[in-house]
Amino acid sequence: MTMEVMVLANEDNAASTTLMLNAKFLLILTVVIANCAEPLIHQNAAFYSLYLGIYTFHIPMFVMVTGYFSKNFRLDVPGIKSLQMIFYHYLIFQSLYSLLDLLAFHAPGVHYSFFVPYSLLWFLFSHFCWRLLLLLFTRMRHPLVFSVILGILVGYAPFTGTMLSFSRTIVFFPFFLAGYYFHLGMVPKSFAHSKKWVGVLGFLAILAFLNKISVDPKWLYSSFTYRELGSTQWYAGIYRIGMYGLEVMASLCFLILVPRKYTILTEWGKYTVYVFLLHALITKTAISMGLFTHVHTTVQMILVLLLAVGLTCLLSQKWVRRFSRPLIEPDLYFWERWIAGKHKTSNPR
């Protein structure tokens, strides 16, 4: 590889990473907005449309961004440490949120089990699995095609899709693979230079389409089998294909709108795990206290959206990271020593 090509490759990687970090922050922002809007979607048609619109892209794109930042994953020491951290996050926050739900939140339909991830913690469980699946799928000739086929077929499973986050893990895995293989150089220049208004018009068209056909949000959650969604026909998989097409189009519209320059959003995009793990402590508390039952007017609903933006920015601040780092990014040296001790015990010389 010539020096000129190496420089271009490095520039492409830097530009791709900046784009993905910007997207990462905007996506965690949409996660918080969606969670704040959810208690109000049956009160306001505009909120319901916003909620549906967000769900067409924010999970697929978040999975894609996660896949992008998993490019260097191997079953080496750094790779195993990353799996340990994901497992730690799931173990601690599944316990914490389950306990808080039992004592205070009392959310409907919650199963207190490590095998049924609590609310948004399904993403941690699936992330752990996606990284392991990479080891298998990257050896295949057409991994993306095969993953899409699996995403369609999993809907026919005879058991519930929520157990072990099984359905979402398989359905969203194609987006994880897409992120793993993504680099900015593969994007056509015509798309890369698309005007922002093209993305806005695309979103408006998608929202109009969703309102026209009355899509059940459960299809966008992807956590249910076709039978659980009430589609027992043999051709139910065609609906999943349609959902994939809708999610891809919405994701492309979102990417058009993502800034490409390094800004404060890029810096905040490096620490979205703090917003992801902490924001529900506040939103779930607000719901359990009945605060959302006092929101009725348009002005009050706009205020909720502004508070969601403010909460996201607040949890991205350095002082929040400083105080919560011992919980969210602890030194797992004790864990590594325990594993090493177990290994020596099971393999005595």
Side-chain angles (χ1 to χ4, degrees):
M1 182 182 287
T2 66
M3 182 62 69
E4 182 181 1
V5 174
M6 288 179 65
V7 170
L8 288 174
N10 289 333
E11 289 178 351
D12 176 58
N13 289 336
S16 299
T17 300
T18 298
L19 174 69
M20 286 299 172
L21 285 173
N22 289 339
K24 200 177 176 192
F25 175 77
L26 293 176
L27 288 165
I28 197 64
L29 173 60
T30 60
V31 169
V32 179
I33 289 175
N35 287 341
C36 289
E38 188 171 11
L40 305 170
I41 58 176
H42 298 298
Q43 294 181 211
N44 185 285
F47 252 52
Y48 184 70
S49 294
L50 174 66
Y51 179 80
L52 277 183
I54 287 175
Y55 263 91
T56 59
F57 71 88
H58 85 313
I59 296 180
M61 276 303 308
F62 219 126
V63 175
M64 179 183 173
V65 170
T66 304
Y68 176 83
F69 288 108
S70 302
K71 285 179 180 289
N72 297 324
F73 176 74
R74 306 287 186 277
L75 269 186
D76 51 14
V77 173
I80 292 173
K81 284 185 176 181
S82 70
L83 290 177
Q84 287 175 351
M85 185 58 74
I86 296 169
F87 178 76
Y88 164 81
H89 283 157
Y90 182 75
L91 181 68
I92 295 301
F93 283 90
Q94 177 75 2
S95 302
L96 176 62
Y97 276 110
S98 295
L99 179 62
L100 287 174
D101 191 275
L102 181 65
L103 297 176
F105 299 158
H106 307 301
V110 172
H111 298 279
Y112 302 117
S113 168
F114 280 103
F115 301 106
V116 181
Y118 182 87
S119 187
L120 48 75
L121 297 181
W122 72 267
F123 195 90
L124 296 175
F125 196 97
S126 293
H127 185 191
F128 188 94
C129 297
W130 291 327
R131 290 202 167 210
L132 294 178
L133 286 172
L134 273 181
L135 303 175
L136 172 64
F137 277 75
T138 50
R139 296 168 182 253
M140 298 179 179
R141 191 170 182 180
H142 302 290
L144 195 56
V145 174
F146 189 54
S147 67
V148 170
I149 293 172
L150 274 181
I152 296 168
L153 293 179
V154 73
Y156 294 102
F159 47 82
T160 179
T162 56
M163 182 65 68
L164 298 173
S165 188
F166 181 74
S167 179
R168 278 174 156 171
T169 299
I170 303 301
V171 172
F172 288 120
F173 185 58
F175 293 98
F176 189 85
L177 273 179
Y180 177 81
Y181 288 112
F182 175 83
H183 59 85
L184 205 55
M186 67 196 304
V187 179
K189 289 186 177 180
S190 57
F191 177 82
H193 295 93
S194 298
K195 301 295 184 182
K196 303 297 184 186
W197 61 264
V198 175
V200 173
L201 286 180
F203 267 131
L204 292 175
I206 289 170
L207 289 177
F209 174 75
L210 290 173
N211 287 322
K212 184 72 175 178
I213 64 172
S214 299
V215 173
D216 186 340
K218 290 182 179 179
W219 279 97
L220 297 170
Y221 300 161
S222 297
S223 53
F224 302 97
T225 63
Y226 301 143
R227 182 177 295 277
E228 289 174 309
L229 290 167
S231 297
T232 56
Q233 308 91 336
W234 65 267
Y235 55 81
I238 296 175
Y239 300 141
R240 172 65 43 79
I241 296 173
M243 288 297 106
Y244 272 146
L246 181 66
E247 289 166 344
V248 168
M249 288 188 290
S251 297
L252 291 175
C253 292
F254 171 78
L255 276 176
I256 291 174
L257 297 175
V258 176
R260 302 202 173 179
K261 294 182 179 180
Y262 194 103
T263 66
I264 187 62
L265 301 185
T266 319
E267 193 64 25
W268 286 347
K270 299 176 184 178
Y271 305 105
T272 55
V273 65
Y274 287 86
V275 184
F276 176 79
L277 292 174
L278 297 176
H279 82 276
L281 292 172
I282 298 171
T283 57
K284 295 283 187 183
T285 299
I287 293 171
S288 65
M289 292 175 63
L291 297 183
F292 285 94
T293 60
H294 300 289
V295 178
H296 303 291
T297 67
T298 301
V299 172
Q300 290 171 336
M301 291 185 179
I302 292 174
L303 181 60
V304 168
L305 296 181
L306 293 176
L307 288 173
V309 174
L311 176 60
T312 307
C313 295
L314 175 68
L315 295 178
S316 301
Q317 299 306 305
K318 187 179 295 185
W319 66 267
V320 174
R321 298 197 299 272
R322 185 169 64 251
F323 282 107
S324 58
R325 181 172 284 117
L327 176 64
I328 294 179
E329 291 186 293
D331 183 354
L332 296 181
Y333 180 64
F334 71 92
W335 175 273
E336 294 165 13
R337 288 188 61 184
W338 183 77
I339 294 292
K342 285 288 184 181
H343 181 72
K344 289 180 181 179
T345 304
S346 60
N347 295 283
R349 292 185 178 181

